[in-house]
Amino acid sequence: AGCPETDKYGYAYGDAGSLFNDMDTYGTSTATNKAVAWGYKEGIVRGFDDGGFHPEDPVTRKDTMIMLYRFAGKPQVSGENTFTDVVSANYPAASDTYKAILWGSENGITNGYSNGDGTYRFGSTERCKREHIVTFLYRYDQQY
């Protein structure tokens, strides 16, 4: 996103420490603080019910796809999600999780994993490895 300091209206993104109860150890001038505040204010990330951001927790593949989907502006999707683990998890079709994974598949950002029987799974709850994140980002950049 180019490390913006302000939103499109010129307002500063603020201090992530004032947004989440576990971000106060990150100084306001750190890249982490700025990125978390930017991501929150732009609607890309949300916190948890306990009021924290959990900055050091690993992310799942679905978390990563949701962030990319929101970064893309939550574009409209159509069709059905055919990844077997998405279907079995019964994510509501109106949820960002369902839409993000469908969007990623429709746009070639993710292909999922073969189940060996002609079907594919996304790996929703698996940790998103660095190789996957950079691949998703690369493919995203090719599409947008």
Side-chain angles (χ1 to χ4, degrees):
C3 300
E5 294 287 330
T6 61
D7 67 14
K8 63 185 173 187
Y9 305 106
Y11 296 107
Y13 286 107
D15 174 19
S18 68
L19 301 170
F20 302 105
N21 62 20
D22 57 357
M23 289 296 299
D24 55 347
T25 60
Y26 294 87
T28 57
S29 63
T30 65
T32 300
N33 185 298
K34 290 177 181 181
V36 171
W38 166 80
Y40 178 78
K41 296 286 183 155
E42 292 293 327
I44 297 165
V45 295
R46 297 181 182 145
F48 291 87
D49 290 341
D50 65 1
F53 179 72
H54 303 190
E56 296 181 17
D57 285 0
V59 296
T60 63
R61 288 173 53 88
K62 75 176 177 182
D63 295 334
T64 304
M65 199 57 58
I66 290 168
M67 286 185 263
L68 281 174
Y69 172 70
R70 290 176 181 160
F71 181 65
K74 296 173 71 169
Q76 290 293 98
V77 293
S78 60
E80 288 185 38
N81 219 315
T82 59
F83 289 122
T84 55
D85 59 328
V86 173
V87 172
S88 66
N90 289 319
Y91 298 124
S95 70
D96 279 1
T97 301
Y98 185 92
K99 290 178 182 178
I101 296 168
L102 179 57
W103 165 82
S105 176
E106 287 179 340
N107 287 282
I109 295 167
T110 183
N111 300 318
Y113 302 106
S114 174
N115 290 323
D117 62 0
T119 62
Y120 290 83
R121 64 185 173 81
F122 176 64
S124 302
T125 59
E126 295 175 19
R127 285 186 176 184
C128 196
K129 297 177 183 177
R130 292 168 53 93
E131 68 179 290
H132 297 153
I133 292 172
V134 75
T135 300
F136 293 159
L137 289 169
Y138 176 77
R139 290 175 179 164
Y140 175 91
D141 188 59
Q142 300 300 302
Q143 295 295 326
Y144 289 88

